[in-house]
Amino acid sequence: MNNTAVVILNWNGTAHLRRFLPSVVANTPKQVRIIVADNGSTDDSVEVLEREFPTVERLRLERNYGFAEGYNRALEMVEAEYCVLLNSDVETPEGWLEPLVARLNEDERVAAVAPKLLWSEDREQFEYAGASGGFIDYLGYPFCRGRIMKCVERDCGQYDEPREVFWASGAAFCCRLDVFKALGGFASHFFAHMEEIDLCWRMHLAGYKVEVEPRSKVYHFGGGTLATDSPNKIFLNHRNNLAMLFRCSTAGQRAVVAVVRPLLDALAALSYAVKGNFRGAWAVARAYADFVRWHSRLARERRQIRSTAVASGCPNTLFRGSIVLRYMFGKRKFEKLM
């Protein structure tokens, strides 16, 4: 455990620090460094850390760089073999860290491993952000063992077996720090959302595996920064998802996405408008505008990613069908999909 660090990125999160950080301090082995990287907070986060959590190390970034670049900059200042990126709104019970580190010790091909994520407000329910391991379908729509679209299951032990997955949630992301740095970390221009899925895809392309280890579980509050229907969250999710697909997918997959996704996203925008969420509909349009503006940059990044890839652009954990169609036809549990 001496080679492990837990890094929590904080932005104006005083309430979350007071509620959730005590569990991290109490239930993380003493030899593990706990570091809070402050992302240019304007509240009293830094003062609270100094006064109430003196054993926790602090890193200060001069401004809010977002989730992606904030972590990139923070981890450049951290020396460790393994690093857990932990949201500030995550509660950790006793024994949460040991199974994650053990899995990385057991298999050097595993670059990242996730715990089972449960909801802090109802501990028998999976948490939306990652549940028991993440996947995406051929068109780029993410889903999880325990969460299909907006249908979130209760945890009855049905997804307790460890297994390879497509992505590990950034809410609790345990990884090999050298691999994180070698792959360039998160895509900094994403700012927030989808950056962990993009990184996991690049890990697959580099020949590594991503896994979930449900013997480890944590409790995630979720939605601490942006509400689900926030126009900014809609914008970031759509834009970054399109950018990720362009950067990482095969030519064949990209061609299918280029035809089908604009139609589905137009329907999503229309749905927002019908519900009166006109800012949400406009957010989808803004996402496409940014995606087009980024085209040259994304093309360069794609060439760079493909030039160093040792594996196919379609990992074996990519769901070859459409999760949207499966959901529409009543397949709303992961165990019904596979």
Side-chain angles (χ1 to χ4, degrees):
M1 289 288 182
N2 291 329
N3 56 357
T4 303
V6 175
V7 181
I8 299 168
L9 189 67
N10 171 72
W11 181 71
N12 288 350
T14 297
H16 284 333
L17 293 173
R18 281 180 165 147
R19 176 178 173 183
F20 297 102
L21 187 54
S23 72
V24 182
V25 173
N27 296 317
T28 299
K30 300 304 180 186
Q31 64 269 40
V32 173
R33 297 170 64 194
I34 301 173
I35 305 166
V36 172
D38 187 76
N39 217 0
S41 291
T42 55
D43 67 358
D44 60 346
S45 293
V46 175
E47 291 77 12
V48 167
L49 284 168
E50 292 175 349
R51 183 173 62 251
E52 300 180 22
F53 302 97
T55 63
V56 173
E57 299 180 44
R58 297 174 296 280
L59 296 174
R60 296 192 68 171
L61 304 177
E62 64 271 20
R63 62 181 177 85
N64 181 11
Y65 287 98
F67 186 94
E69 182 63 7
Y71 262 122
N72 287 348
R73 288 176 178 260
L75 296 188
E76 280 299 319
M77 296 183 271
V78 174
E79 293 294 332
E81 183 177 4
Y82 307 144
C83 188
V84 183
L85 285 57
L86 194 69
N87 275 16
S88 61
D89 60 348
V90 170
E91 179 182 340
T92 59
E94 185 177 358
W96 74 279
L97 184 57
E98 289 85 341
L100 303 177
V101 172
R103 187 63 195 126
L104 293 178
N105 283 334
E106 289 166 0
D107 189 346
E108 63 183 14
R109 290 186 56 228
V110 177
V113 60
K116 179 165 65 174
L117 262 68
L118 301 171
W119 191 31
S120 64
E121 308 309 284
D122 181 349
R123 296 181 177 227
E124 294 182 357
Q125 180 175 307
F126 285 111
E127 206 282 313
Y128 182 94
S132 192
F135 295 82
I136 66 167
D137 74 358
Y138 202 73
L139 297 174
Y141 291 98
F143 61 99
C144 308
R145 291 200 308 173
R147 190 271 296 174
I148 307 293
M149 306 297 283
K150 292 189 176 182
C151 183
V152 182
E153 296 180 47
R154 300 193 73 77
D155 177 25
C156 302
Q158 68 271 41
Y159 304 123
D160 274 357
E161 75 281 3
R163 62 162 291 173
E164 188 174 358
V165 295
F166 193 95
W167 55 272
S169 171
F173 186 92
C174 182
C175 67
R176 298 182 187 276
L177 188 53
D178 61 344
V179 174
F180 180 96
K181 292 180 178 180
L183 294 177
F186 294 129
S188 60
H189 46 306
F190 282 22
F191 189 79
H193 298 292
M194 296 287 167
E195 65 288 312
E196 77 269 53
I197 305 180
D198 175 87
L199 175 59
C200 287
W201 200 333
R202 288 183 282 125
M203 286 175 170
H204 289 296
L205 290 173
Y208 292 99
K209 297 189 294 182
V210 178
E211 295 188 350
V212 61
E213 176 46 88
R215 289 181 301 166
S216 169
K217 61 183 179 182
V218 300
Y219 302 100
H220 185 207
F221 179 69
T225 304
L226 292 173
T228 304
D229 60 351
S230 158
N232 197 35
K233 186 168 187 174
I234 293 169
F235 164 69
L236 290 170
N237 273 329
H238 276 80
R239 182 195 67 181
N240 295 348
N241 186 267
L242 292 168
M244 172 186 70
L245 286 163
F246 192 90
R247 281 157 51 94
C248 299
S249 65
T250 62
Q253 184 183 3
R254 193 155 50 106
V256 173
V257 168
V259 173
V260 180
R261 272 296 297 272
L263 298 174
L264 293 175
D265 290 338
L267 289 174
L270 179 61
S271 174
Y272 289 127
V274 168
K275 295 175 182 176
N277 187 358
F278 298 106
R279 293 179 64 199
W282 177 239
V284 178
R286 286 174 52 222
Y288 270 84
D290 255 22
F291 174 65
V292 171
R293 183 171 59 84
W294 278 3
H295 185 273
S296 296
R297 175 179 189 167
L298 295 174
R300 290 193 301 271
E301 293 169 352
R302 175 182 173 80
R303 288 192 293 271
Q304 181 180 1
I305 291 168
R306 302 300 301 178
S307 70
T308 58
V310 300
S312 164
C314 286
N316 59 10
T317 48
L318 176 73
F319 183 61
R320 278 4 188 229
S322 167
I323 196 63
V324 175
L325 286 177
R326 295 292 185 95
Y327 185 85
M328 289 172 59
F329 285 97
K331 303 293 186 181
R332 300 186 178 184
K333 294 185 178 181
F334 184 90
E335 58 191 5
K336 304 281 188 184
L337 296 176
M338 303 299 181

